[in-house]
Amino acid sequence: MDNRDVVSAFLRSRRNRTTPEQAGLPTYGQRRVPGLRRGEVATLAGVSVEYYTRLERGNLKGVSDSVLDALARALRLDDTERMYLNDLARAAGPAPGAPRREPRPAVRPSVARIVEGMPGMPAFVMNDRLDTLAANPLGRALYTQMYADPACRANVARFAFLSPAARRFYVDWERMARFAVGALRVEAGRHPHDRELTNLIGELSTRSDSFRVLWGSHDVHVFRESTKRLTHPLVGDLELDQETMSLPDDSGLSVVVYSARPGTAAEDALKLLAGRSATRGPEQLTEPAGDPSTSARAGT
């Protein structure tokens, strides 16, 4: 797969983002570009203008690690962006043939037992395409709207961009959307020949204007820990801490766990949701039963 267009757009976006002041360069007179000039990046990276121009045209084939490191420093890339640049360089070689369908890793029984063994916390097994491959009952209850929508196919990115319910569910929808796009961008750099990923990106680009705009920003992101603010149709507002733990193998799978801080309304709401899920089933939790905020505060 020829990734020159992706490389070129990424380097231009990072160059335009970086100001001379950030790079420690003096500025004189009126500037015609929003960020650094190509010559300034070349100087900061210790390469010729002609060589940097070649790189920004998308040709990373054969570029050494030292040049990539110098380029990352010049463009003030963070750790995730550095990783992405290196992935793009590795993918710049000859294509191995037609895009292929990457095998979908199976969730090991031991991992499934770990997820099921946390009944008081929503827990999932997720791949790098943001497919939820397994979830415990409370996880399914929390994301009941995603699981209830067959168009989402249990994929968080499809839910975020294609389901109207997502904009009500994620209080910080814009932040979540940027994170989802950034995570898919990282995965696309790492596995450019993954047909399922290519199809997902194509589907979202076609069906969602918001996704298409964010995808064009070339920002990258890796999920780690964060705080999620959610509005569930049954139990109302929740503020939950998210931890993402990558499995120590080459499957690309992660265990994602949400937890509520002790003594908070979110803890009461999760207990209520767990109780309602046990009696009604996760698939029946898309409509509130009474006033969710009152029920959550009461802890009943």
Side-chain angles (χ1 to χ4, degrees):
M1 177 180 291
D2 189 341
N3 67 350
R4 292 189 180 209
D5 289 346
V6 175
V7 171
S8 179
F10 177 67
L11 291 179
R12 285 199 314 272
S13 70
R14 302 308 94 171
R15 175 168 63 85
N16 291 337
R17 180 192 67 178
T18 307
T19 66
E21 291 79 10
Q22 290 172 327
L25 296 175
T27 57
Y28 305 102
Q30 186 71 28
R31 297 180 63 88
R32 298 172 58 186
V33 293
L36 298 177
R37 301 185 178 99
R38 287 193 182 94
E40 291 169 334
V41 176
T43 299
L44 291 169
V47 299
S48 69
V49 177
E50 293 77 11
Y51 185 66
Y52 175 72
T53 300
R54 170 202 152 189
L55 299 181
E56 195 174 283
R57 286 175 179 165
N59 188 359
L60 290 183
K61 187 176 180 180
V63 176
S64 67
D65 290 343
S66 61
V67 169
L68 291 174
D69 287 342
L71 197 57
R73 289 193 298 272
L75 295 173
R76 301 176 62 84
L77 304 186
D78 62 25
D79 290 343
T80 301
E81 291 168 331
R82 283 172 176 263
M83 177 187 68
Y84 180 64
L85 179 63
N86 280 273
D87 287 337
L88 292 176
R90 279 191 290 272
R100 65 184 185 275
R101 182 178 298 275
E102 301 258 344
R104 184 168 178 165
V107 179
R108 297 196 304 273
S110 58
V111 176
R113 287 195 297 271
I114 291 172
V115 169
E116 292 288 339
M118 294 184 281
M121 292 182 285
F124 311 83
V125 180
M126 185 175 292
N127 64 18
D128 290 330
R129 291 189 293 269
L130 306 184
D131 296 313
T132 55
L133 307 183
N136 64 8
L138 190 52
R140 292 184 67 88
L142 182 65
Y143 273 80
T144 182
Q145 296 168 109
M146 179 183 75
Y147 287 107
D149 187 346
C152 295
R153 283 174 271 170
N155 179 276
V156 171
R158 284 193 182 95
F159 176 56
F161 288 100
L162 303 183
S163 173
R167 292 180 182 260
R168 298 187 296 269
F169 180 68
Y170 295 112
V171 176
D172 302 311
W173 182 87
E174 290 82 3
R175 178 172 176 263
M176 171 60 191
R178 287 195 302 271
F179 282 4
V181 171
L184 292 179
R185 175 66 75 178
V186 167
E187 183 65 1
R190 186 181 296 134
H191 297 292
H193 310 296
D194 183 339
R195 181 181 298 172
E196 288 190 24
L197 177 63
T198 300
N199 290 343
L200 173 62
I201 293 168
E203 175 189 355
L204 294 175
S205 297
T206 301
R207 299 181 60 188
S208 171
D209 292 340
S210 297
F211 180 88
R212 188 163 54 251
V213 169
L214 289 173
W215 187 254
S217 71
H218 289 269
D219 291 334
V220 293
H221 179 76
V222 174
F223 279 96
R224 290 290 183 257
E225 72 286 345
S226 67
T227 299
K228 284 285 196 305
R229 294 196 299 148
L230 311 172
T231 300
H232 192 275
L234 178 65
V235 298
D237 294 339
L238 296 145
E239 184 170 304
L240 303 173
D241 293 326
Q242 175 187 321
E243 294 289 342
T244 303
M245 296 158 281
S246 299
L247 296 182
D249 53 29
D250 60 356
S251 67
L253 301 183
S254 300
V255 175
V256 180
V257 183
Y258 291 166
S259 64
R261 297 176 187 177
T264 62
E267 183 183 42
D268 293 336
L270 281 186
K271 291 178 180 177
L272 171 63
L273 186 59
R276 293 290 175 83
S277 174
T279 57
R280 300 173 63 183
E283 69 281 358
Q284 300 178 18
L285 298 177
T286 56
E287 296 297 333
D291 182 352
S293 61
T294 302
S295 299
R297 287 194 299 269
T300 56

